[in-house]
Amino acid sequence: MVDVPHWAADHFDDFRRVCAAVVAAAAVDPAAPDTAADSSGGGDGLVRTALLTAMGVAFTLLTQFAERWTTRRRRLADELAQARSDYAKSARTFLSDWAADPEADFSAVSKARERLAASLSELPGGGPRGTAGFRLAERLPLARRPEATEDSATAGVRTLSRARRTDIAEALRTEVSDALAEVQQLRGSTGTWWYLTTAGRAVTARLRPVPGRGGATP
């Protein structure tokens, strides 16, 4: 679910209606005379009726909001999954093509990266998970075409050999793979769960024995 500040900011109309209902119920004065009440209920009956009505309205609005929020989260998760898949395919194709031809078309992977970055920036929930999404969007690999030339002191600017481009492409594939793993992790977790699992991995990494030492990392 979402916290009250995010709800108020993103769905102000719903928030205002719930607040109005609660305020209206709270405004009923139990000590005020109830001229319209019958002998069986009295003023207390009117207050109870007003409170129950306000609670019913609030529950209905909160239920509607929860349904819309759930639908939005599902839509964003699906969009992120599709953007991740498109980026993975286009990156794999481009790097293979670029290793063979330094002039290989870069437009497809560039557009796929932009879509994935946009999806990451829209991760719901805020907090550490949202911040991680923004940061990952900024550092996704292949923000620009890899350099295919080098400046040689003897021969001047020359095109990298195919073997050298193959090595660079392989290193970029590893970076892409790592980024895709982070995307999958962000997609498959809620904000709280993401925070807990991230903290757990950090602790585990710190406690993992260092080669050549008998104990954990200090």
Side-chain angles (χ1 to χ4, degrees):
M1 193 54 66
V2 67
D3 55 25
V4 173
H6 282 92
W7 175 36
D10 298 338
H11 302 273
F12 181 71
D13 290 340
D14 292 343
F15 177 77
R16 183 177 56 184
R17 284 197 293 270
V18 172
C19 289
V22 174
V23 169
V28 177
D29 184 2
D34 181 15
T35 57
D38 58 26
S39 58
S40 62
D44 290 342
L46 177 60
V47 173
R48 284 195 297 271
T49 300
L51 288 174
L52 289 173
T53 300
M55 290 173 63
V57 172
F59 179 77
T60 300
L61 292 174
L62 287 172
T63 300
Q64 293 173 352
F65 165 73
E67 291 175 351
R68 287 197 295 270
W69 180 255
T70 300
T71 300
R72 177 174 178 269
R73 287 180 65 95
R74 186 179 299 115
R75 175 180 60 79
L76 291 175
D78 290 343
E79 291 176 356
L80 181 59
Q82 185 61 55
R84 178 184 182 276
S85 177
D86 292 344
Y87 175 70
K89 293 176 182 177
S90 60
R92 183 168 56 248
T93 299
F94 168 75
L95 291 173
S96 296
D97 292 346
W98 181 81
D101 177 11
E103 299 301 322
D105 182 29
F106 184 67
S107 60
V109 69
S110 179
K111 292 177 181 177
R113 183 189 181 279
E114 289 178 3
R115 288 193 296 270
L116 179 55
S119 293
L120 286 168
S121 299
E122 292 181 1
L123 278 173
R129 179 170 177 259
T131 300
F134 275 110
R135 290 177 177 173
L136 179 56
E138 293 176 350
R139 60 182 175 82
L140 284 173
L142 296 175
R144 58 181 180 272
R145 174 189 290 275
E147 292 290 340
T149 60
E150 62 181 355
D151 191 359
S152 171
T154 57
V157 177
R158 63 182 182 182
T159 301
L160 294 175
S161 67
R162 179 164 183 168
R164 177 61 178 146
R165 293 198 308 272
T166 299
D167 290 342
I168 294 174
E170 187 59 34
L172 286 171
R173 285 191 191 95
T174 299
E175 292 182 17
V176 169
S177 178
D178 291 344
L180 291 174
E182 291 188 57
V183 173
Q184 182 62 24
Q185 177 192 343
L186 287 169
R187 175 180 176 269
S189 61
T190 62
T192 301
W193 181 248
W194 179 88
Y195 181 81
L196 291 175
T197 54
T198 301
R201 281 196 305 274
V203 172
T204 301
R206 185 165 181 78
L207 294 178
R208 184 180 299 119
V210 177
R213 295 184 182 179
T217 304

